[in-house]
Amino acid sequence: MAGKPHTIRMDGRDNVAIVANDGGLAAGTRLESGLVLLDRVPQGHKVALVDIAAGAPVLRYGVAIGYAAEPLAAGRWVHEKLLAMPAAASLEGLPMATAPRPPAEPLEGYTFEGYRNPDGSVGTRNLLAITQTVQCVAGVTAFAVQRIREELLPKYPNVDGVVALEHGYGCGVAIDAPDAKVPIRTVRNLSLNPNFGGEVMVVSLGCEKLQPQRLMPPGSIPVAVQGQSAELDVVCLQDEKHVGFQSMVESIVRQAEAHLVRLDARRRETVPASELVVGVQCGGSDAFSGVTANPAVGFCTDLLVRAGASVMFSEVTEVRDGIAQLTARAATPEVAEAMVREMAWYDAYLERGAVDRSANTTPGNKAGGLANIVEKAMGSIVKSGSSTISRVVAPGERLAGRGLAYCATPASDFICGTLQMAAGMNLHVFTTGRGTPYGLAAVPVIKVATRTDLARRWHDLMDLNAGTIADGTATIEDVGWELFRLMLEVASGRRQTWAERWKLHNALVLFNPAPVT
Ligand code: CA
């Protein structure tokens, strides 16, 4: 937006505002309030609204995002080097489930067209997944998948595609270390994602540490999910019956066909919006993330919760500084305690690497106006909306139950997406300010731009523009509803996301806090 100088202040207590104009504002610009800029202030960056004394708090979102490193005169550009970061909030003495929200008015009558699965979950896509026990089999599986696409998929038009669940785990790892349970259960639960129709097929090398029976112990796949047989369907490359590479490929292609036949017999049916399992995250954030896209996602999160759906928010280091408001919103003290447990575990994990939560921010975040992790977190946390937090999902675990859940994952886009997929998401919402072409092969990703400038330049990558909120042409509620309706269209397969159209897929990246050998 060019022309009239435009700044945005988030809270009545704030002593800084951000510049909304494309290209920023020049020194000497007079704002509507009469304040004259002393420096050039780039778009998304902060300007001091009043004189701020050295050591005084700099307030955005009504909280101290830092302390002035020197006296800051009104009109100055308040950039990262002028802010000292506050210490992390203590995990002791937090308000535990003191402010769960009263149940909101149910939102009824919204539906989408989905694939009902034998275990009761609902898919938004109908895909054959091929699980791998170890990275060693990735090349052979990829070769076989190419043949399945070319030779078999045309015969099974109701199947949307075939996905190899490639990952870097399985061998050369300390598999008995306590934290190894995280990557192992992640691979297991990835194969049970609702978009795979309950069909589980495994490719194994034979000599790896993560044996198929360890990955999928008896009982881990309910018979109802596995279709006709409770027996795990495994192709083992080192099996003596395989003579040469082509015979391995033949086995994979042949065994895949049995699953394709069953998947192809499925049809979409009308299901309530409560069957959505949505994972929300952000990446390539800027100062607008917390002004436009994330508040719109937060509004939509509340709509989804009212509709009885499941929504997961994540990214430990981006919510750590807002822990007090999260524990207060927990449904029960047990949920609040689980949240604190996950945060404490992560604090220790970071400490082991001689860093803290401030390691999160990127050069792009800073160029986009985010001074530090506290400011980033305040903008990130609003994706969770205002609903009561009903449950906590540990990394790699499967979500059980509806409502708003905190799924404890790293903020890394690929790892967060992988863990939310393992938790069972059937739709992903991703907000970005700097821009990322992020996508997943197995779950549709709706990308929301925080700025009109990005939405315009990346017109064939961004699915929704929340920049209209900063432009003043739409409200948070307008964009929140638009996103809600778009989700139902995408979930129904009536609309593809840009990442789906271009087939842009990031790798699945496991979170492995345990040692490798
Ligand atoms: Ca992220």
Side-chain angles (χ1 to χ4, degrees):
M1 180 172 134
K4 220 170 103 189
H6 182 32
T7 55
I8 300 173
R9 190 185 187 193
M10 293 308 290
D11 186 285
R13 289 164 287 182
D14 293 359
N15 53 12
V16 293
I18 65 162
V19 167
N21 302 73
D22 283 352
L25 290 174
T29 304
R30 181 178 294 273
L31 303 181
E32 213 169 352
S33 64
L35 180 69
V36 175
L37 300 189
L38 299 178
D39 304 306
R40 190 188 93 79
V41 182
Q43 187 190 35
H45 283 249
K46 293 172 285 300
V47 53
L49 297 175
V50 295
D51 292 339
I52 303 169
V58 170
L59 301 168
R60 190 168 175 229
Y61 300 100
V63 304
I65 58 166
Y67 297 91
E70 59 184 74
L72 300 171
R76 275 196 73 185
W77 171 24
V78 182
H79 55 74
E80 46 153 333
K81 295 198 173 59
L82 297 176
L83 282 186
M85 199 176 80
S90 166
L91 293 177
E92 306 283 332
L94 290 164
M96 306 298 265
T98 49
R101 304 301 198 265
E105 193 194 338
L107 188 62
E108 279 159 4
Y110 290 92
T111 60
F112 70 99
E113 303 298 307
Y115 293 97
R116 279 205 185 276
N117 294 320
D119 68 348
S121 66
V122 170
T124 60
R125 297 292 181 266
N126 188 28
L127 298 163
L128 170 65
I130 301 183
T131 299
Q132 304 176 22
T133 51
V134 66
Q135 170 62 214
C136 312
V137 304
V140 175
T141 309
F143 190 96
V145 162
Q146 194 53 34
R147 267 195 54 191
I148 294 168
R149 282 198 188 113
E150 286 162 10
E151 295 166 27
L152 295 184
L153 278 187
K155 288 162 60 185
Y156 303 100
N158 291 316
V159 181
D160 293 320
V162 51
V163 176
L165 300 180
E166 183 183 343
H167 59 80
Y169 198 72
C171 212
V173 289
I175 204 155
D176 294 317
D179 288 337
K181 66 176 186 241
V182 174
I184 296 172
R185 70 187 175 205
T186 303
V187 177
R188 177 185 311 139
N189 289 329
L190 280 172
S191 6
L192 302 176
N193 183 278
N195 283 359
F196 303 145
E199 298 292 332
V200 178
M201 171 177 172
V202 179
V203 176
S204 148
L205 181 62
C207 58
E208 67 273 25
K209 281 188 174 156
L210 184 57
Q211 289 288 306
Q213 297 72 24
R214 182 155 186 176
L215 177 65
M216 299 277 183
S220 66
I221 314 172
V223 176
V225 179
Q226 179 63 357
Q228 272 85 339
S229 158
E231 199 80 355
L232 189 60
D233 179 12
V234 182
V235 175
C236 176
L237 302 191
Q238 288 171 348
D239 193 312
E240 284 182 8
K241 75 177 181 200
H242 288 135
V243 180
F245 167 62
Q246 290 299 346
S247 114
M248 300 170 190
V249 174
E250 270 315 314
S251 287
I252 298 172
V253 172
R254 191 180 55 248
Q255 286 181 224
E257 189 155 19
H259 298 279
L260 288 172
V261 168
R262 286 197 291 269
L263 289 170
D264 193 58
R266 288 149 45 91
R267 294 293 179 275
R268 287 188 186 269
E269 53 188 288
T270 305
V271 298
S274 56
E275 300 294 355
L276 285 176
V277 183
V278 179
V280 302
Q281 73 153 322
C282 49
S285 300
D286 66 2
F288 286 99
S289 298
V291 177
T292 61
N294 291 351
V297 168
F299 182 85
C300 186
T301 293
D302 287 343
L303 293 179
L304 289 163
V305 172
R306 284 174 55 199
S310 312
V311 188
M312 293 177 273
F313 70 103
S314 296
E315 307 175 292
V316 183
T317 48
E318 288 174 19
V319 297
R320 176 66 179 82
D321 283 286
I323 180 69
Q325 55 160 293
L326 295 181
T327 51
R329 276 166 60 193
T332 64
E334 290 72 30
V335 171
E337 278 154 23
M339 231 175 306
V340 170
R341 202 160 52 236
E342 292 299 336
M343 300 279 163
W345 184 91
Y346 215 89
D347 279 358
Y349 167 73
L350 290 172
E351 211 177 301
R352 214 157 71 209
V355 292
D356 64 19
R357 73 208 194 287
S358 67
N360 173 302
T361 43
T362 65
N365 293 153
K366 290 175 180 173
L370 293 174
N372 58 34
I373 183 60
V374 185
E375 184 175 17
K376 185 174 175 179
M378 291 307 131
S380 173
I381 209 166
V382 295
K383 296 195 297 298
S384 70
S386 63
S387 305
T388 296
I389 300 163
S390 305
R391 60 199 86 249
V392 174
V393 184
E397 276 183 351
R398 211 170 179 215
L399 173 68
R402 293 173 201 272
L404 180 62
Y406 173 61
C407 181
T409 81
S412 154
D413 298 348
F414 345 103
I415 299 181
C416 172
T418 301
L419 291 171
Q420 288 185 339
M421 198 178 134
M425 79 171 163
N426 55 22
L427 195 62
H428 200 16
V429 173
F430 193 108
T431 70
T432 183
R434 306 293 298 168
T436 165
Y438 175 86
L440 290 174
V443 177
V445 181
I446 296 175
K447 289 205 292 299
V448 185
T450 72
R451 294 176 298 129
T452 297
D453 176 52
L454 175 69
R456 200 164 36 220
R457 283 186 294 114
W458 287 33
H459 59 91
D460 49 5
L461 288 165
M462 294 292 134
D463 299 291
L464 187 67
N465 177 23
T468 49
I469 297 167
D471 301 342
T473 57
T475 63
I476 288 169
E477 292 79 5
D478 292 337
V479 179
W481 273 107
E482 200 183 341
L483 176 59
F484 182 73
R485 294 197 176 93
L486 176 60
M487 283 175 159
L488 298 175
E489 287 296 297
V490 170
S492 301
R494 286 190 290 261
R495 192 163 151 181
Q496 282 194 317
T497 64
W498 279 114
E500 285 183 294
R501 268 196 247 183
W502 299 126
K503 296 189 165 40
L504 304 181
H505 307 147
N506 286 96
L508 294 172
V509 182
L510 300 181
F511 182 37
N512 178 21
V516 293
T517 59

